[in-house]
Amino acid sequence: MIISVKLVNHEYNVIIEPDSAKKIGQFVQNVWNFWNYRKIAIITDDNVAPLYLNNVSDQLTAVGFNCLKLIVKHGEEAKSLNSVAMLIKQMASAGFTRDDGVVALGGGVIGDLAGLTASLYMRGISYLKIATSLTAQVDSSVGGKTAVDLAGIKNVIGTFYQPDLVIVDPNYLLTLDDRNLVEGYAEVVKTSVLAGPDFFAMTGTIKTIANLKLQCEKLIERSISYKANIVMADEKEAGIRQFLNFGHTFGHPIESLNHGLMRHGEAVSIGMIAVTKMFEKLGISPTGLTLQLKKV
Protein backbone atom coordinates (compact mmCIF):
# COMPACT_ATOMS: atom_id res chain seq x y z
CA MET A 1 0.00 0.00 0.00
CA ILE A 2 1.21 3.51 -0.80
CA ILE A 3 -0.15 6.53 1.06
CA SER A 4 0.63 9.93 -0.46
CA VAL A 5 1.15 12.88 1.86
CA LYS A 6 0.47 16.02 -0.18
CA LEU A 7 1.39 19.26 1.55
CA VAL A 8 1.49 22.84 0.29
CA ASN A 9 5.23 22.82 -0.47
CA HIS A 10 6.14 19.15 -0.38
CA GLU A 11 4.81 15.72 -1.32
CA TYR A 12 6.04 12.26 -0.38
CA ASN A 13 4.91 8.65 -0.26
CA VAL A 14 4.67 6.24 2.64
CA ILE A 15 5.30 2.71 1.37
CA ILE A 16 3.67 0.06 3.61
CA GLU A 17 4.72 -3.33 2.33
CA PRO A 18 6.00 -6.59 3.85
CA ASP A 19 9.54 -7.27 2.62
CA SER A 20 9.95 -3.67 1.43
CA ALA A 21 13.19 -3.79 3.43
CA LYS A 22 14.59 -5.88 0.56
CA LYS A 23 13.87 -3.11 -1.97
CA ILE A 24 15.38 -0.12 -0.18
CA GLY A 25 17.99 0.54 -2.85
CA GLN A 26 15.34 0.65 -5.57
CA PHE A 27 12.97 2.86 -3.56
CA VAL A 28 15.66 5.37 -2.59
CA GLN A 29 17.10 5.52 -6.11
CA ASN A 30 13.61 6.35 -7.39
CA VAL A 31 13.37 9.47 -5.20
CA TRP A 32 17.06 10.43 -5.05
CA ASN A 33 18.93 10.31 -8.35
CA PHE A 34 22.46 9.35 -7.33
CA TRP A 35 24.10 12.02 -9.50
CA ASN A 36 22.61 14.61 -7.18
CA TYR A 37 22.72 12.63 -3.93
CA ARG A 38 26.25 11.27 -3.90
CA LYS A 39 26.57 10.68 -0.16
CA ILE A 40 24.07 9.33 2.34
CA ALA A 41 24.46 9.46 6.12
CA ILE A 42 22.60 6.49 7.60
CA ILE A 43 21.77 7.43 11.19
CA THR A 44 20.77 4.59 13.51
CA ASP A 45 21.30 3.34 17.07
CA ASP A 46 23.29 0.53 18.62
CA ASN A 47 20.22 -1.71 18.90
CA VAL A 48 19.14 -1.42 15.27
CA ALA A 49 22.62 -1.30 13.71
CA PRO A 50 23.53 -4.98 14.25
CA LEU A 51 20.20 -6.04 12.74
CA TYR A 52 19.81 -3.84 9.66
CA LEU A 53 22.57 -1.29 9.09
CA ASN A 54 24.84 -3.34 6.83
CA ASN A 55 21.92 -4.57 4.75
CA VAL A 56 20.64 -1.04 4.15
CA SER A 57 24.13 0.27 3.43
CA ASP A 58 24.86 -2.57 0.99
CA GLN A 59 21.62 -1.94 -0.91
CA LEU A 60 22.30 1.79 -1.21
CA THR A 61 25.92 1.21 -2.23
CA ALA A 62 24.77 -1.22 -4.90
CA VAL A 63 22.73 1.49 -6.63
CA GLY A 64 25.52 4.06 -6.57
CA PHE A 65 25.41 5.87 -3.22
CA ASN A 66 28.39 6.44 -0.94
CA CYS A 67 27.25 5.63 2.61
CA LEU A 68 28.44 7.01 5.93
CA LYS A 69 27.29 4.89 8.88
CA LEU A 70 26.52 6.90 12.01
CA ILE A 71 25.55 5.06 15.20
CA VAL A 72 24.29 6.62 18.44
CA LYS A 73 23.41 5.00 21.74
CA HIS A 74 19.81 3.77 21.89
CA GLY A 75 17.21 5.46 24.06
CA GLU A 76 15.79 8.89 24.74
CA GLU A 77 19.15 10.23 25.93
CA ALA A 78 20.33 10.21 22.31
CA LYS A 79 17.91 13.05 21.61
CA SER A 80 20.26 15.86 22.61
CA LEU A 81 22.09 18.80 21.09
CA ASN A 82 25.33 16.96 21.79
CA SER A 83 24.17 14.14 19.52
CA VAL A 84 23.19 16.59 16.79
CA ALA A 85 26.57 18.32 17.01
CA MET A 86 28.41 14.98 16.88
CA LEU A 87 26.48 13.86 13.80
CA ILE A 88 26.92 17.17 11.99
CA LYS A 89 30.64 17.17 12.76
CA GLN A 90 31.06 13.70 11.25
CA MET A 91 29.05 14.62 8.16
CA ALA A 92 31.10 17.78 7.65
CA SER A 93 34.34 15.81 8.04
CA ALA A 94 33.09 13.41 5.36
CA GLY A 95 32.49 16.31 2.97
CA PHE A 96 28.69 16.31 2.90
CA THR A 97 27.14 19.10 0.84
CA ARG A 98 23.61 20.32 0.18
CA ASP A 99 23.32 17.73 -2.59
CA ASP A 100 23.62 14.83 -0.14
CA GLY A 101 21.07 13.21 2.16
CA VAL A 102 20.24 11.56 5.47
CA VAL A 103 18.48 8.25 6.09
CA ALA A 104 16.85 7.69 9.49
CA LEU A 105 16.98 3.96 10.23
CA GLY A 106 15.21 3.10 13.46
CA GLY A 107 12.38 4.06 15.77
CA GLY A 108 10.94 7.33 16.95
CA VAL A 109 14.07 8.60 18.69
CA ILE A 110 16.19 8.11 15.57
CA GLY A 111 13.53 9.69 13.37
CA ASP A 112 13.45 12.79 15.56
CA LEU A 113 17.24 13.02 15.84
CA ALA A 114 18.05 12.32 12.18
CA GLY A 115 15.30 14.62 10.95
CA LEU A 116 16.52 17.51 13.07
CA THR A 117 20.11 16.89 11.97
CA ALA A 118 19.06 16.95 8.31
CA SER A 119 17.04 20.13 8.84
CA LEU A 120 20.04 21.94 10.36
CA TYR A 121 22.92 20.69 8.23
CA MET A 122 23.78 23.51 5.80
CA ARG A 123 20.32 24.94 6.50
CA GLY A 124 18.63 21.74 5.39
CA ILE A 125 19.38 18.69 3.26
CA SER A 126 17.03 15.96 2.12
CA TYR A 127 16.21 12.97 4.27
CA LEU A 128 13.98 9.92 4.37
CA LYS A 129 12.86 7.43 6.99
CA ILE A 130 13.03 3.68 7.34
CA ALA A 131 10.83 3.00 10.38
CA THR A 132 11.72 -0.13 12.34
CA SER A 133 9.49 0.14 15.46
CA LEU A 134 5.70 0.14 15.72
CA THR A 135 5.74 3.59 17.33
CA ALA A 136 7.69 4.99 14.40
CA GLN A 137 5.64 3.17 11.79
CA VAL A 138 2.20 4.26 13.00
CA ASP A 139 3.00 7.70 14.34
CA SER A 140 6.34 9.51 14.18
CA SER A 141 7.17 8.43 10.62
CA VAL A 142 4.51 10.76 9.22
CA GLY A 143 4.12 14.49 9.73
CA GLY A 144 7.59 16.00 9.71
CA LYS A 145 8.08 16.64 13.42
CA THR A 146 11.74 16.56 14.48
CA ALA A 147 13.12 17.36 17.91
CA VAL A 148 15.59 16.80 20.71
CA ASP A 149 15.25 17.24 24.47
CA LEU A 150 16.94 19.81 26.68
CA ALA A 151 17.22 20.06 30.48
CA GLY A 152 14.65 17.31 30.96
CA ILE A 153 12.09 19.00 28.69
CA LYS A 154 11.00 16.63 25.94
CA ASN A 155 11.05 17.84 22.32
CA VAL A 156 11.66 21.48 23.32
CA ILE A 157 14.08 22.05 20.41
CA GLY A 158 12.75 21.03 17.01
CA THR A 159 11.54 21.78 13.52
CA PHE A 160 8.83 20.78 11.08
CA TYR A 161 10.84 19.11 8.32
CA GLN A 162 9.27 16.67 5.89
CA PRO A 163 10.97 13.53 4.53
CA ASP A 164 11.12 12.60 0.86
CA LEU A 165 10.01 9.02 1.50
CA VAL A 166 8.95 6.74 4.35
CA ILE A 167 9.47 2.98 4.16
CA VAL A 168 7.37 0.83 6.52
CA ASP A 169 8.01 -2.91 6.51
CA PRO A 170 5.84 -4.73 9.10
CA ASN A 171 8.43 -7.53 9.14
CA TYR A 172 10.80 -5.22 11.01
CA LEU A 173 8.51 -5.70 14.00
CA LEU A 174 9.44 -9.39 14.24
CA THR A 175 12.71 -8.42 15.93
CA LEU A 176 11.00 -6.39 18.67
CA ASP A 177 10.51 -7.95 22.09
CA ASP A 178 6.96 -8.01 23.47
CA ARG A 179 7.33 -4.88 25.59
CA ASN A 180 8.64 -2.73 22.75
CA LEU A 181 5.93 -3.99 20.40
CA VAL A 182 3.10 -3.33 22.85
CA GLU A 183 4.31 0.17 23.76
CA GLY A 184 3.95 1.10 20.11
CA TYR A 185 0.43 -0.27 20.14
CA ALA A 186 -0.48 2.60 22.50
CA GLU A 187 -0.15 5.01 19.55
CA VAL A 188 -2.45 2.77 17.50
CA VAL A 189 -5.05 2.87 20.26
CA LYS A 190 -4.69 6.65 20.50
CA THR A 191 -5.39 6.99 16.80
CA SER A 192 -8.33 4.59 16.94
CA VAL A 193 -10.02 6.65 19.67
CA LEU A 194 -9.67 9.78 17.55
CA ALA A 195 -10.63 8.13 14.25
CA GLY A 196 -14.02 6.89 15.38
CA PRO A 197 -16.02 3.85 16.50
CA ASP A 198 -15.05 1.46 13.68
CA PHE A 199 -11.31 1.68 14.26
CA PHE A 200 -11.75 1.75 18.05
CA ALA A 201 -13.88 -1.39 17.85
CA MET A 202 -11.14 -3.05 15.81
CA THR A 203 -8.52 -2.38 18.48
CA GLY A 204 -10.97 -3.74 21.04
CA THR A 205 -10.86 -7.17 19.38
CA ILE A 206 -7.13 -7.53 19.99
CA LYS A 207 -6.57 -9.49 23.20
CA THR A 208 -3.11 -11.03 22.85
CA ILE A 209 0.33 -10.18 21.50
CA ALA A 210 -0.03 -12.96 18.93
CA ASN A 211 -3.28 -11.36 17.75
CA LEU A 212 -1.57 -7.98 17.57
CA LYS A 213 1.18 -9.39 15.36
CA LEU A 214 -1.39 -10.90 12.99
CA GLN A 215 -3.24 -7.58 12.66
CA CYS A 216 -0.21 -5.29 12.53
CA GLU A 217 -0.29 -4.47 8.82
CA LYS A 218 -3.96 -3.44 8.90
CA LEU A 219 -3.42 -1.40 12.06
CA ILE A 220 -0.43 0.36 10.50
CA GLU A 221 -2.35 1.19 7.33
CA ARG A 222 -5.34 2.61 9.20
CA SER A 223 -3.19 4.60 11.62
CA ILE A 224 -1.04 6.17 8.91
CA SER A 225 -4.04 6.93 6.69
CA TYR A 226 -5.73 8.79 9.53
CA LYS A 227 -2.64 10.71 10.54
CA ALA A 228 -1.76 11.61 6.95
CA ASN A 229 -5.18 13.18 6.45
CA ILE A 230 -4.79 15.21 9.65
CA VAL A 231 -1.30 16.39 8.68
CA MET A 232 -2.42 17.38 5.18
CA ALA A 233 -5.17 19.51 6.72
CA ASP A 234 -2.91 21.07 9.37
CA GLU A 235 0.81 20.62 8.71
CA LYS A 236 2.13 22.97 11.41
CA GLU A 237 -0.25 21.96 14.23
CA ALA A 238 -2.22 25.18 14.27
CA GLY A 239 -5.58 23.42 14.61
CA ILE A 240 -6.87 19.86 14.40
CA ARG A 241 -3.40 18.29 14.41
CA GLN A 242 -3.28 19.13 18.12
CA PHE A 243 -5.76 16.28 18.61
CA LEU A 244 -2.89 13.87 17.88
CA ASN A 245 -1.35 14.96 21.19
CA PHE A 246 -4.07 13.02 23.02
CA GLY A 247 -2.37 11.40 26.01
CA HIS A 248 0.90 13.23 25.44
CA THR A 249 0.19 16.27 27.65
CA PHE A 250 0.61 14.06 30.72
CA GLY A 251 2.56 11.34 28.91
CA HIS A 252 5.62 13.43 28.07
CA PRO A 253 6.35 14.62 31.62
CA ILE A 254 5.64 11.12 32.98
CA GLU A 255 8.14 9.70 30.48
CA SER A 256 10.74 12.36 31.32
CA LEU A 257 10.41 11.85 35.07
CA ASN A 258 11.10 8.13 34.63
CA HIS A 259 14.47 8.88 33.00
CA GLY A 260 14.24 6.19 30.32
CA LEU A 261 12.75 3.46 32.54
CA MET A 262 9.31 3.89 30.96
CA ARG A 263 8.63 3.52 27.24
CA HIS A 264 6.95 6.33 25.32
CA GLY A 265 3.78 4.35 24.67
CA GLU A 266 3.50 3.27 28.29
CA ALA A 267 3.60 6.90 29.44
CA VAL A 268 1.12 7.94 26.73
CA SER A 269 -1.24 5.15 27.87
CA ILE A 270 -1.27 6.62 31.38
CA GLY A 271 -1.77 10.08 29.88
CA MET A 272 -4.73 8.93 27.78
CA ILE A 273 -6.47 7.41 30.80
CA ALA A 274 -5.80 10.49 32.94
CA VAL A 275 -7.16 12.99 30.43
CA THR A 276 -10.15 10.81 29.45
CA LYS A 277 -11.08 10.41 33.11
CA MET A 278 -10.92 14.20 33.48
CA PHE A 279 -12.94 14.80 30.31
CA GLU A 280 -15.55 12.28 31.41
CA LYS A 281 -16.01 14.12 34.73
CA LEU A 282 -16.39 17.41 32.82
CA GLY A 283 -18.94 15.90 30.44
CA ILE A 284 -16.69 16.29 27.39
CA SER A 285 -16.22 12.56 26.84
CA PRO A 286 -19.12 10.08 26.97
CA THR A 287 -19.71 8.15 30.20
CA GLY A 288 -17.88 4.83 30.22
CA LEU A 289 -15.16 5.77 27.73
CA THR A 290 -12.42 5.65 30.37
CA LEU A 291 -13.33 2.05 31.26
CA GLN A 292 -13.48 1.06 27.57
CA LEU A 293 -10.08 2.62 26.96
CA LYS A 294 -8.57 0.85 29.98
CA LYS A 295 -9.76 -2.52 28.65
CA VAL A 296 -8.24 -1.87 25.21
Side-chain angles (χ1 to χ4, degrees):
M1 181 178 187
I2 296 178
I3 296 173
S4 294
V5 182
K6 299 178 180 179
L7 305 167
V8 174
N9 296 313
H10 194 70
E11 179 177 343
Y12 61 94
N13 288 330
V14 182
I15 299 172
I16 308 167
E17 180 185 322
D19 291 331
S20 56
K22 298 177 181 178
K23 306 174 186 176
I24 288 170
Q26 169 194 329
F27 290 144
V28 175
Q29 189 180 40
N30 287 343
V31 295
W32 287 352
N33 181 290
F34 76 90
W35 288 111
N36 293 324
Y37 294 91
R38 295 162 293 178
K39 298 185 183 73
I40 292 179
I42 307 173
I43 299 176
T44 190
D45 66 39
D46 55 4
N47 276 346
V48 175
L51 298 170
Y52 306 123
L53 179 54
N54 286 339
N55 177 265
V56 171
S57 178
D58 289 347
Q59 289 190 59
L60 294 175
T61 300
V63 295
F65 293 105
N66 182 5
C67 295
L68 174 66
K69 302 174 184 178
L70 300 176
I71 303 171
V72 300
K73 185 176 173 56
H74 69 275
E76 187 72 19
E77 290 183 359
K79 286 177 54 174
S80 69
L81 287 176
N82 286 338
S83 295
V84 173
M86 179 269 292
L87 293 168
I88 288 176
K89 182 177 179 180
Q90 291 184 72
M91 290 166 62
S93 296
F96 272 64
T97 71
R98 289 178 180 171
D99 292 327
D100 300 318
V102 168
V103 168
L105 173 64
V109 168
I110 289 298
D112 278 354
L113 176 62
L116 184 61
T117 300
S119 75
L120 295 176
Y121 190 83
M122 293 190 170
R123 299 184 178 89
I125 63 174
S126 296
Y127 89 111
L128 57 83
K129 295 185 177 184
I130 304 171
T132 62
S133 72
L134 186 56
T135 303
Q137 292 184 356
V138 302
D139 183 54
S140 60
S141 62
V142 177
K145 279 187 175 181
T146 79
V148 294
D149 309 334
L150 182 68
I153 305 173
K154 190 174 172 69
N155 297 336
V156 71
I157 300 173
T159 61
F160 285 96
Y161 199 67
Q162 301 293 344
D164 290 336
L165 177 71
V166 178
I167 298 172
V168 173
D169 186 343
N171 290 338
Y172 278 132
L173 305 181
L174 299 176
T175 55
L176 295 179
D177 60 31
D178 289 349
R179 182 181 180 187
N180 285 308
L181 179 67
V182 172
E183 73 97 7
Y185 182 56
E187 291 286 0
V188 176
V189 173
K190 177 204 78 175
T191 303
S192 77
V193 177
L194 298 172
D198 289 345
F199 193 5
F200 190 45
M202 179 183 176
T203 58
T205 65
I206 295 172
K207 307 293 185 183
T208 66
I209 291 172
N211 197 211
L212 172 58
K213 289 178 179 178
L214 288 173
Q215 299 291 330
C216 260
E217 188 174 349
K218 291 180 181 178
L219 295 169
I220 292 166
E221 289 176 355
R222 293 197 66 164
S223 297
I224 292 177
S225 293
Y226 177 80
K227 183 168 185 182
N229 286 329
I230 293 291
V231 169
M232 285 188 284
D234 178 20
E235 180 182 357
K236 298 294 180 67
E237 204 174 64
I240 61 170
R241 186 170 175 177
Q242 294 177 43
F243 296 162
L244 297 175
N245 295 324
F246 174 47
H248 290 63
T249 306
F250 295 139
H252 278 170
I254 290 169
E255 183 182 1
S256 295
L257 288 168
N258 276 273
H259 304 293
L261 297 177
M262 181 173 282
R263 304 290 191 269
H264 175 72
E266 293 166 350
V268 168
S269 295
I270 295 170
M272 286 193 289
I273 296 298
V275 75
T276 304
K277 188 175 182 179
M278 183 186 298
F279 281 3
E280 202 172 321
K281 285 182 178 180
L282 294 171
I284 298 170
S285 295
T287 301
L289 181 59
T290 307
L291 182 59
Q292 283 183 277
L293 186 55
K294 279 184 179 179
K295 288 178 179 179
V296 175

